[in-house]
């Protein structure tokens, strides 16, 4: 009797454990995609040796630790996040690309682009470019890609960027023309959309899924230097060199993305050589990481800014320009950068970062000057201060930044109440258009029109755009409207200089700093530079040294 | 016994139904619009509305729930909002990873806690007892993500003994399992010690001793077996909590399990993903409780299920 009871107990327990241990035997392999020519990566390649530097002939496999995993890899639908762009910029090519520092246009799939007038963009394609499935790229693919992007029903990423297209006229296999509704110079930068294969997408399209993206989001196919091999969600995304790449086969054999959400873990993985690139080093860890010989830390300007937005049309006291300028004078920008960003940034006095062709250094500088701030407040009649609501997205760096702002403003008896909102709730609050103060920023500025229009033009007040401070200035509007269609680059630069001065003077945004991103790489990784706009694209020329 | 088990499994149905309704409404009550999260930050209202429409998010809540519920009955757990593909295959593919991690962490905490607990009870107020009491206090008070980070720094960075993240073999499980098991270990250790101390003072233990039984038999046969009921209850509860703990731990160790999916689902207001995760977690929680109840009957002959 007793013996049988124990027998049963052991039996149940072992069945129970068996259920658990079943997992051990399955290294979670997804079923191979039927249409994808799959090459099983070899076991030994998957696990880098403990000391890869000691190997005489090493595998050319680069592991990249990324902070988040992408959701949709088809560039028509997933271009909204850095996580997806990381992969897309390697798997796909676009018509053009540009230099990170000068923003000078470089042709990729385009052989030539003519702009006879700012409403007409004539594109000649490079011949003999192959997709990863061996088919040749033609204008049909370009037309198809851009037609999806501008199709309202497709709800593709960045629809508004392609809305200005009136018609795409295909002349032959290698020539096509974009006709725009209105003169639009910034459209040149829109030609950076990654091109997908028409036949491949249509092959996987169904009645419910007319763009085929249910399939292509998981199995992207492009003309880029690396082809997509396998995506084991939560573990890795494996890309492999494309032998027939039109600019020559990359030196690397494989690029493998590993999502590692925790910043500390990512740093440790780079220090121990498990990954070769750490996409983003937390500002707090930059100093420690720099001290490690196994890591090369490089800093890139994010080509953007962080700012404090102030509603100009929500009654007293922030409707008074002097009050807003006073707040700008209260900001100890250098200290903020040291404290919040651990030095990763430089003070911002205007929207366009230094280095950008449209950067205007000669804007009114509201430098840290408490006396001047008090003077302005006295002039405006707020010597005794006031109280204000400040909204910020839930993020430790941003919240810290706001606490400093709160502290500095309190010295002038301005009582700031910080509302920390989680991502979705924050944007909902922004859409109401009734936020007295808010902390936001902007990354990867391309054409100045990009954010000047969306953030400061009268037509962009919520819910239509991002002018959440309700800045409405007819003079400013006129300038950027003119700049939109101006073909002469020098004249455009002048117009945007003018616009920048106005925006700074009116202080609906208090510009705080141009932030930088710290990236960690292994010293063995050569000839690689990260791009704010094109992520890891430079890996097509990189290699691992012995 | 068999009937009892069947009855308990059937009871799962109303529980899951209630949980699903509750959670479904809760997700919608949280501020934040999933369509907005798919759009670029500066997207206009029209763009967001179009995305919402394509995802079917513009329909009234009860309709969306009914749609989801009918789908689940047919084996279609819906498409993830953020990933745009069916939820169920992803969940099932990640399930073994999480189960494996939870099982190993339980093995670790039970394997350490019971012997130490027994030792500490039999040598009350000794040096070992003090150490184990301090250890369990520490284990309970340290947040587990912090423990995880410290273990990574020690074993992965400084000693270079174990990998810090991923899941490519058994060695990748060790650090996350220990991290996940620490607080459970502390709890089980404390419960083992205190129930052992209680039982040790019982008359029948004194009888056993006075009739000359060796101390080993007294402890393992008479004391421990009687203390086990309480310990098993705690272990069962701990296993349930362990599943929740994976949400944090899997992120720290970049471990590809259910917890990370749950986290991402929540961050994106991805209702089908959250629902799928929750249904799995709830089912497992209930099943673990059932197994614990069944084990009682084996450990303690006085307990019988009709």
């Amino acid at each position: 009797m007793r013996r049988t009871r124990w027998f049963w107990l052991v039996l149940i327990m072992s069945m129970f454990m068996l259920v658990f241990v079943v997992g051990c035997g399955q290294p979670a392999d997804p079923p191979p995609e039927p249409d994808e020519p799959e090459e099983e990566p070899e076991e030994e390649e998957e696990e880098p040796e403990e000391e890869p530097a000691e190997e005489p002939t090493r595998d050319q496999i680069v592991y990249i630790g990324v902070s988040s995993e992408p959701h949709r890899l088809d560039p028509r639908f997933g271009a909204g996040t850095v996580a997806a762009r990381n992969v897309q910029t390697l798997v796909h090519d676009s018509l053009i690309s540009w230099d990170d520092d000068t923003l000078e246009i470089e042709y990729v799939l385009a052989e030539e682009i003519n702009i006879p007038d700012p409403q007409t963009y004539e594109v000649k394609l490079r011949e003999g470019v192959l997709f990863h499935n061996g088919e040749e790229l033609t204008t049909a693919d370009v037309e198809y890609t851009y037609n999806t992007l501008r199709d309202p029903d497709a709800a593709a990423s960045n629809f508004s960027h392609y809305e200005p297209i009136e018609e795409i006229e295909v002349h032959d296999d290698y020539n096509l023309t974009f006709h725009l509704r209105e003169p639009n110079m910034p459209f040149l930068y829109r030609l950076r959309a990654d091109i997908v294969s028409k036949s491949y997408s249509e092959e996987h399209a169904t009645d419910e899924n007319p763009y085929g993206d249910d399939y292509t989001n998981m199995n992207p196919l492009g003309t880029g230097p690396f082809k997509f091999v396998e995506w084991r969600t939560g573990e890795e995304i494996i890309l492999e060199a494309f032998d027939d790449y039109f600019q020559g086969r990359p030196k690397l054999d494989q690029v493998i993305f590993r999502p590692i959400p925790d910043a500390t873990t990512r740093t440790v993985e780079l220090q121990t050589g498990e990954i070769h690139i750490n996409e983003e080093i937390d500002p707090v860890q930059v100093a420690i990481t720099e001290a490690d010989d196994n890591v090369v830390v490089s800093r890139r300007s994010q080509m953007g800014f962080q700012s404090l937005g102030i509603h100009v049309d929500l009654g007293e006291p922030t409707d008074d320009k002097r009050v807003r300028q006073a707040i700008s004078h209260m900001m100890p920008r250098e200290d903020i950068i040291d404290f919040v960003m651990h030095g990763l940034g430089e003070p911002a006095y205007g929207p366009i970062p230094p280095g950008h062709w449209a950067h205007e250094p000669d804007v009114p500088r509201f430098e840290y000057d408490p006396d001047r701030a008090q003077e302005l407040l006295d002039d405006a009649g707020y010597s005794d201060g006031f109280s204000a609501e400040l909204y910020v997205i839930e993020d430790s760096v941003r919240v810290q930044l706001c606490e400093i702002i709160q502290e500095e403003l309190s010295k002038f008896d301005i009582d700031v109440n910080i509302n920390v909102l989680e991502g979705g709730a924050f944007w909902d609050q922004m859409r109401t258009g009734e936020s007295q103060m808010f902390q936001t920023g902007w990354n990867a500025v391309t054409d100045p029109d990009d954010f000047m229009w969306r953030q400061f033009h009268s037509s962009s007040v919520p819910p239509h755009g991002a002018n959440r401070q309700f800045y409405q200035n007819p003079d400013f509007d006129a300038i950027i409207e003119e700049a939109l269609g101006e073909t002469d680059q020098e004249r455009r630069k002048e117009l945007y200089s003018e616009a920048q001065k106005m925006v700074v003077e009116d202080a609906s945004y208090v510009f705080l700093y141009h932030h930088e991103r710290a990236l960690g790489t292994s010293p063995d990784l050569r000839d690689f530079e990260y791009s704010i706009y094109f992520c890891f694209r430079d890996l097509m020329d990189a290699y691992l040294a012995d | 016994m068999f009937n009892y088990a069947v009855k308990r499994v059937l009871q799962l149905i109303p529980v899951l139904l209630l949980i699903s309704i509750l959670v479904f409404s809760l997700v919608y009550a949280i501020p934040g619009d999933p369509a907005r999260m798919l759009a670029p930050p500066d997207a206009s209202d029209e763009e967001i509305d179009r995305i919402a429409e394509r995802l079917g998010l513009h329909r009234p809540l009860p309709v969306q729930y009914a749609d989801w519920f009918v789908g689940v009955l047919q084996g279609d757990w819906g498409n993830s909002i953020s990933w745009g593909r069916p939820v169920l295959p992803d969940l099932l593919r990640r399930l073994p990873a999480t189960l494996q991690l939870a099982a190993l962490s339980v093995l670790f905490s039970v394997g350490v806690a019971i012997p130490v607990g027994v030792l500490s009870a039999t040598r009350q107020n000794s040096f070992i007892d003090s150490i184990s009491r301090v250890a369990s206090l520490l284990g309970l008070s340290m947040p587990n993500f912090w423990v995880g980070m410290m273990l990574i720094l020690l074993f992965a960075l400084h000693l270079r003994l174990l990998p810090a993240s991923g899941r490519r073999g058994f060695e990748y499980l060790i650090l996350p399992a220990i991290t996940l098991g620490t607080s459970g270990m502390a709890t089980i250790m404390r419960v083992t010690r205190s129930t052992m101390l209680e039982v040790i003072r019982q008359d029948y233990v004194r009888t056993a001793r006075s009739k000359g039984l060796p101390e080993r038999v007294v402890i393992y046969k008479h004391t421990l077996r009687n203390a086990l009921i309480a310990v098993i209850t705690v272990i069962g509860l701990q296993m349930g909590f362990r599943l929740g703990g994976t949400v944090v731990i899997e992120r720290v160790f970049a471990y590809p399990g259910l917890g990370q999916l749950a986290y991402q689902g929540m961050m994106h207001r991805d209702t089908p993903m959250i629902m799928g995760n929750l249904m799995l977690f709830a089912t497992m929680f209930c099943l673990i409780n059932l197994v614990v109840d069944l084990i009682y009957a084996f450990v303690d002959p006085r307990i019988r299920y009709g």
Side-chain angles (χ1 to χ4, degrees), chain A residues 363-417:
Chain A
V363 292
R365 282 165 85 92
F366 300 120
E367 284 180 29
Y368 182 62
D369 187 347
D371 297 337
R372 178 73 188 131
Q374 190 61 53
E375 238 174 81
L376 283 163
L377 279 186
D378 292 346
D379 280 359
Y382 295 101
S383 309
D384 301 332
F386 53 90
S387 58
E389 294 293 319
L390 169 58
Y391 295 89
V392 60
I393 203 161
E394 187 182 6
D395 169 278
S396 60
V397 170
R398 292 173 187 276
V399 172
Q400 249 178 27
L401 170 60
C402 286
E403 281 163 357
I404 296 181
I405 294 173
Q406 182 184 43
E407 172 69 20
E408 291 299 325
L409 265 60
S410 75
K411 294 177 184 164
F412 298 84
D413 295 319
I414 301 172
D415 182 21
V416 176
N417 179 33

Side-chain angles (χ1 to χ4, degrees), chain B residues 118-183:
Chain B
V118 171
L119 212 63
S120 157
T122 50
R123 292 176 175 72
Q124 200 188 353
N125 297 330
S126 69
F127 180 65
I128 288 187
D129 186 28
S130 313
I131 296 252
S132 84
R133 274 154 69 190
V134 171
S136 67
L137 191 68
L138 274 178
L140 276 178
S141 357
M142 292 185 297
N144 56 9
F145 71 88
W146 185 82
V147 173
M149 253 168 222
M150 291 304 116
L151 290 179
I152 286 179
L153 290 181
L154 181 62
F155 289 101
L157 183 62
H158 294 299
L159 300 176
R160 309 263 162 132
L161 283 176
L162 291 165
S165 72
R167 176 177 181 253
R168 289 183 230 160
F170 180 74
E171 69 270 29
Y172 288 81
L173 274 158
I174 299 175
L175 292 184
I178 292 178
T179 310
L180 196 54
T182 306
S183 69

Side-chain angles (χ1 to χ4, degrees), chain B residues 6 10 24 30-31 74 86 116 133 140 147 149 151 155 160 174 188-189 192 233 239 244 247 272 279-280 295 298 300:
Chain B
V6 171
L10 287 179
F24 207 90
I30 312 171
Q74 296 167 343
V116 175
R133 274 154 69 190
L140 276 178
V147 173
M149 253 168 222
L151 290 179
F155 289 101
R160 309 263 162 132
I174 299 175
I188 298 169
M189 207 192 285
T192 310
T233 309
M239 288 191 69
V247 175
M279 292 296 105
L280 279 184
I295 290 176
F298 290 114
D300 188 340

Side-chain angles (χ1 to χ4, degrees), chain B:
Chain B
M1 177 92 192
F2 177 73
N3 289 342
Y4 173 78
V6 171
K7 210 168 84 190
R8 285 283 302 267
V9 171
L10 287 179
Q11 278 171 2
L12 246 174
I13 295 170
V15 171
L16 289 180
L17 197 67
L18 269 176
I19 293 179
S20 72
I21 293 175
L22 195 71
V23 174
F24 207 90
S25 347
L26 269 180
V27 176
Y28 279 84
I30 312 171
D33 176 0
R36 137 96 35 212
M37 294 180 195
L38 284 181
D42 60 332
S44 67
D45 271 20
E46 296 92 61
E47 280 173 67
I48 290 158
D49 290 344
R50 266 194 295 268
I51 293 174
E53 196 162 328
R54 200 175 166 212
L55 296 172
L57 298 172
H58 58 295
R59 300 169 301 167
L61 187 55
V63 177
Q64 290 187 44
Y65 178 78
D67 193 39
W68 175 83
F69 185 75
V70 172
V72 168
L73 292 184
Q74 296 167 343
D76 171 13
W77 290 33
N79 272 19
S80 152
I81 290 174
S82 47
W83 303 67
R85 61 170 188 262
V87 166
L88 191 59
D90 269 337
L91 289 173
L92 293 182
R93 221 165 54 72
R94 301 249 192 143
L95 181 64
T98 294
L99 287 181
Q100 203 182 341
L101 179 58
L104 198 67
S105 81
V106 170
L107 272 184
F108 164 74
S109 39
V110 172
V112 175
I114 293 188
V116 175
V118 171
L119 212 63
S120 157
T122 50
R123 292 176 175 72
Q124 200 188 353
N125 297 330
S126 69
F127 180 65
I128 288 187
D129 186 28
S130 313
I131 296 252
S132 84
R133 274 154 69 190
V134 171
S136 67
L137 191 68
L138 274 178
L140 276 178
S141 357
M142 292 185 297
N144 56 9
F145 71 88
W146 185 82
V147 173
M149 253 168 222
M150 291 304 116
L151 290 179
I152 286 179
L153 290 181
L154 181 62
F155 289 101
L157 183 62
H158 294 299
L159 300 176
R160 309 263 162 132
L161 283 176
L162 291 165
S165 72
R167 176 177 181 253
R168 289 183 230 160
F170 180 74
E171 69 270 29
Y172 288 81
L173 274 158
I174 299 175
L175 292 184
I178 292 178
T179 310
L180 196 54
T182 306
S183 69
M185 180 188 74
T187 314
I188 298 169
M189 207 192 285
R190 285 170 83 95
V191 170
T192 310
R193 179 178 177 274
S194 60
T195 33
M196 283 288 288
L197 284 176
E198 214 170 276
V199 177
I200 267 178
R201 296 200 184 93
Q202 298 287 326
D203 291 344
Y204 61 80
V205 174
R206 199 180 323 133
T207 311
R209 277 189 179 138
S210 55
K211 74 180 176 187
L213 283 179
E215 185 66 9
R216 198 168 47 84
V217 179
V218 175
I219 294 299
Y220 290 102
K221 205 151 186 181
H222 294 265
T223 319
L224 182 58
R225 280 197 59 196
N226 280 293
L228 267 183
I229 282 282
V231 175
I232 287 172
T233 309
V234 174
I235 295 174
L237 281 175
Q238 283 297 325
M239 288 191 69
F241 293 146
R242 220 52 67 78
L243 294 173
T246 57
V247 175
V248 178
I249 296 306
E250 287 182 4
R251 260 179 81 72
V252 173
F253 290 94
Y255 188 83
L258 281 179
Q260 282 214 64
L261 271 188
Y263 181 88
Q264 287 169 354
M266 282 180 266
M267 292 315 284
H268 289 89
R269 302 282 178 279
D270 192 340
T271 316
M273 187 59 91
I274 300 175
M275 296 302 289
N277 259 295
L278 221 97
M279 292 296 105
L280 279 184
F281 278 133
T283 311
M284 286 189 290
F285 201 98
C286 295
L287 287 181
I288 289 169
N289 279 336
L290 172 61
V291 170
V292 168
D293 285 351
L294 294 182
I295 290 176
Y296 283 160
F298 290 114
V299 175
D300 188 340
R302 287 166 300 186
I303 297 174
R304 282 185 197 284
Y305 300 108

